[in-house]
Amino acid sequence: MASSQTGYDQPSSSNRSLLKNRIVHIGCGAFFRAHQALVLEKLNQMLPSDWGYTAVSLFSGMPFIQELRNQDHRYTVVEQDHNTVNVQTVESIIDSMHPSLDGIDAIINRMAEPQVSIISLTITEKGYCVDPNTRQFHATHPLIAQDIATPKTPKSALGVIVAALSLRKERGLPALSVMSCDNMPHNGEVTKAAIVAYAKLIDPELAEWISAHISFPSTMVDRIVPATTDESLQNIESLAGKFDPCGLMTEPFLQWVIEDNFVSGRPQWEKIEGVSLVKDVQPYEEMKLRMLNGSHSFLAYTGFLSGYEYISDTMADPNFKEMTRRLMLDEQKPTLQELDDINLVDYSELLLNRFSNPYLKHKTAQIATDGSQKLPQRIIESIGILAKEEQSFAALALATAAWMRYLKGVDENNQPINIIDPLSEHLLSIANQYSTADSMIKALLSEESIFDQSIVQQQPVIDAITRAYVNIEQKGAKKASWKLLFSQHVLLMMSFAIYSPPI
Ligand code: CS2
């Protein structure tokens, strides 16, 4: 598409001519473009610098890369909620690459250019080729097995990064930092462990060099950025006054907590509101993964099964909204460390408002993807903590049971569900080969790659998930959620009646 059709035919800002390819980002999806690329854009407007992005897509996304090139890598981001509408042009990406357009060699060489200081990643949980439960590197993963056989023409993100680091070492270039921006706990450590384990298999000396010289900062990233739809593109066009096939809708909220551990410099991200550089990201990661992402997964499975297309529709149902609040405050909050700068009750209210944003059009089906990779850190770890302390985890059990019901592959109106998950075939076959709920639940829970057996083999955990599953099967997800909410309410009233002093 010619750039004149998109309205990006005006000259770009004068600061843009200063930009160099200092950060190579793998995973040029919506989240990266409305979060990290936008932060750098704001920073470059405030403090002109040479920090610019090369955005790489390794698998899908070739037509998108072509669209982005057609408009000189400029695109529109609309931030919208009930109170705010902001329309911004992002220009911090100055180049883009895709193996089918440029060849893998060119991508590896770009990362091995001397001025590159950071390689960052949004490749989703499955892109790290680690076991979702233990987060150990998965050396037999088909993509990795292929890369081990042909390490100079890798396909996986890990393989590409290691090939580039090998070139940098060979050329005597400065080390750099590899920064994961995906929703995984300890994402820096997991990335380092996977990269070093892979490098060990192809070149043990390189593995040592990586361990000693490359830093892997952890990050917590947060902004809700739904996949673009025709409707959101129309909304962007009406607000921006031009059609932009690369445009994005997001919310005004943005948070990015980054471990300050960069070996070759970094942009002054902390100048931008919502971004902080800290020593220890872990408490922020856990808070976000459990409160936000855990609630998201709960709403995605129960909401989808109840017939809701969007998260905001699910939240418009007062029972679901209250159930989400209870899940956060009664079952996730007690598992978290208190933070000096964030009050968790206020945080939960903020999340309820963010989820209710009707402009976002965030599909329950989108969040329901890749459940096998998401459940451990969002739901199961908390169940483990609560079970140990003999506290209730009924809402988390309901979320797990809703995922299991979803895996049946047909919704409550007998319509097929398109299950997207790296383990979909295997999980679908388990979900459909047993005649009783008990045996199906037991078989799913014994999947060691997903579930920590020391948690899910406890009888109270099996019982709570089975109870929730049977309720969903008999009443549907909506009524099962209402029933749970009602029983919690009754319990609360009873404890109030028992413990309140006589008048
Ligand atoms: C969502 C996240 O798709 C999902 O699994 O829970 O993408 C969520 O929107 C972001 O993590 C918000 O920061």
Side-chain angles (χ1 to χ4, degrees), residues 183 221-224 288 292-293 296 362 367 374 378:
N183 284 319
V221 283
D222 188 10
R223 172 164 257 199
I224 297 175
K288 194 252 168 175
L292 188 156
N293 297 113
H296 247 179
H362 202 186
I367 301 167
K374 295 174 175 173
R378 297 180 178 204

Side-chain angles (χ1 to χ4, degrees), residues 66-361:
Q66 280 165 322
E67 303 257 36
L68 201 57
R69 287 180 182 182
N70 285 341
Q71 47 194 56
D72 194 19
H73 301 102
R74 288 184 282 168
Y75 59 92
T76 316
V77 174
V78 172
E79 303 170 330
Q80 190 170 17
D81 67 5
H82 285 106
N83 310 313
T84 323
V85 190
N86 276 325
V87 181
Q88 319 213 21
T89 297
V90 177
E91 304 187 333
S92 59
I93 302 176
I94 52 171
D95 200 2
S96 59
M97 302 180 106
H98 191 284
S100 308
L101 295 170
D102 308 288
I104 201 69
D105 273 358
I107 297 174
I108 295 169
N109 270 293
R110 169 60 51 86
M111 293 180 184
E113 285 175 11
Q115 81 289 345
V116 173
S117 299
I118 298 171
I119 296 173
S120 56
L121 303 161
T122 48
I123 53 177
T124 77
E125 298 88 342
K126 61 179 175 278
Y128 293 81
C129 305
V130 298
D131 190 278
N133 168 25
T134 60
R135 294 179 198 110
Q136 296 294 313
F137 174 60
H138 200 178
T140 54
H141 189 290
L143 212 51
I144 294 295
Q146 203 179 325
D147 284 358
I148 292 171
T150 52
K152 293 221 181 318
T153 50
K155 290 212 158 47
S156 70
L158 301 183
V160 172
I161 294 172
V162 170
L165 295 177
S166 166
L167 260 190
R168 291 187 80 89
K169 176 174 173 274
E170 214 175 284
R171 293 177 180 169
L173 290 174
L176 45 66
S177 299
V178 177
M179 174 173 66
S180 162
C181 295
D182 281 295
N183 284 319
M184 285 186 309
H186 324 293
N187 55 11
E189 279 168 42
V190 172
T191 310
K192 178 173 184 175
I195 285 186
V196 171
Y198 168 80
K200 244 185 208 155
L201 296 172
I202 56 168
D203 179 351
E205 204 189 310
L206 174 65
E208 270 177 39
W209 182 84
I210 293 174
S211 266
H213 294 96
I214 305 297
S215 78
F216 294 85
S218 279
T219 62
M220 178 273 248
V221 283
D222 188 10
R223 172 164 257 199
I224 297 175
V225 191
T228 313
T229 60
D230 287 346
E231 196 186 341
S232 58
L233 287 180
Q234 274 169 21
N235 188 31
I236 296 165
E237 183 174 8
S238 70
L239 291 166
K242 62 187 170 225
F243 177 67
D244 181 353
C246 303
L248 291 162
M249 279 298 300
T250 185
E251 57 179 342
F253 183 89
L254 179 147
Q255 194 177 13
W256 191 6
V257 185
I258 308 168
E259 180 189 342
D260 201 357
N261 177 20
F262 292 83
V263 292
S264 200
R266 60 164 176 82
Q268 287 180 273
W269 289 304
E270 68 276 22
K271 302 267 180 219
I272 301 303
E273 201 187 324
V275 188
S276 41
L277 273 290
V278 300
K279 257 191 166 163
D280 183 10
V281 174
Q282 189 181 340
Y284 297 93
E285 269 174 357
E286 282 178 352
M287 171 191 80
K288 194 252 168 175
L289 282 167
R290 294 182 191 163
M291 301 272 273
L292 188 156
N293 297 113
S295 308
H296 247 179
S297 291
F298 165 77
L299 285 164
Y301 297 115
T302 54
F304 182 92
L305 291 170
S306 306
Y308 292 121
E309 187 176 5
Y310 299 113
I311 290 291
S312 54
D313 299 342
T314 320
M315 291 296 287
D317 177 328
N319 290 311
F320 270 118
K321 184 171 180 181
E322 188 51 26
M323 199 58 229
T324 309
R325 181 183 279 119
R326 301 275 48 99
L327 180 138
M328 288 194 233
L329 294 179
D330 301 345
E331 301 189 15
Q332 299 285 33
K333 181 174 171 287
T335 70
L336 297 168
Q337 208 174 306
E338 292 290 336
L339 289 159
D340 292 339
D341 52 345
I342 300 177
N343 172 304
L344 292 178
V345 177
D346 296 348
Y347 183 68
S348 65
E349 286 306 310
L350 175 74
L351 293 180
L352 294 172
N353 282 331
R354 290 173 61 199
F355 293 164
S356 304
N357 183 345
Y359 300 98
L360 285 182
K361 305 284 174 230

Side-chain angles (χ1 to χ4, degrees), residues 290-475:
R290 294 182 191 163
M291 301 272 273
L292 188 156
N293 297 113
S295 308
H296 247 179
S297 291
F298 165 77
L299 285 164
Y301 297 115
T302 54
F304 182 92
L305 291 170
S306 306
Y308 292 121
E309 187 176 5
Y310 299 113
I311 290 291
S312 54
D313 299 342
T314 320
M315 291 296 287
D317 177 328
N319 290 311
F320 270 118
K321 184 171 180 181
E322 188 51 26
M323 199 58 229
T324 309
R325 181 183 279 119
R326 301 275 48 99
L327 180 138
M328 288 194 233
L329 294 179
D330 301 345
E331 301 189 15
Q332 299 285 33
K333 181 174 171 287
T335 70
L336 297 168
Q337 208 174 306
E338 292 290 336
L339 289 159
D340 292 339
D341 52 345
I342 300 177
N343 172 304
L344 292 178
V345 177
D346 296 348
Y347 183 68
S348 65
E349 286 306 310
L350 175 74
L351 293 180
L352 294 172
N353 282 331
R354 290 173 61 199
F355 293 164
S356 304
N357 183 345
Y359 300 98
L360 285 182
K361 305 284 174 230
H362 202 186
K363 290 195 171 157
T364 49
Q366 187 190 343
I367 301 167
T369 60
D370 293 349
S372 68
Q373 316 290 302
K374 295 174 175 173
L375 245 54
Q377 58 274 24
R378 297 180 178 204
I379 307 281
I380 306 301
E381 279 177 16
S382 302
I383 292 186
I385 297 170
L386 296 169
K388 201 167 167 198
E389 291 173 6
E390 296 185 9
Q391 290 186 40
S392 166
F393 46 85
L396 295 168
L398 184 69
T400 314
W403 170 74
M404 291 175 168
R405 170 63 189 80
Y406 183 84
L407 290 179
K408 285 268 185 197
V410 280
D411 70 12
E412 292 177 359
N413 296 317
N414 267 329
Q415 296 305 307
I417 305 175
N418 178 22
I419 309 237
I420 301 174
D421 191 295
L423 303 177
S424 60
E425 235 174 83
H426 179 60
L427 294 172
L428 260 159
S429 94
I430 300 180
N432 288 296
Q433 67 179 263
Y434 294 92
S435 54
T436 65
D438 276 356
S439 45
M440 186 269 265
I441 291 167
K442 273 195 190 120
L444 282 172
L445 290 179
S446 60
E447 280 300 306
E448 291 182 10
S449 72
I450 306 174
F451 294 108
D452 179 338
Q453 297 300 298
S454 72
I455 298 174
V456 300
Q457 293 307 337
Q458 296 177 44
Q459 201 54 46
V461 176
I462 300 175
D463 291 347
I465 294 174
T466 308
R467 231 176 359 254
Y469 186 89
V470 170
N471 272 330
I472 294 176
E473 243 190 356
Q474 290 176 349
K475 301 181 176 52

Side-chain angles (χ1 to χ4, degrees), residues 481-497:
S481 306
W482 292 356
K483 190 178 167 208
L484 180 59
L485 187 62
F486 179 73
S487 62
Q488 290 190 338
H489 184 70
V490 170
L491 273 179
L492 189 78
M493 296 309 283
M494 276 167 54
S495 64
F496 183 71

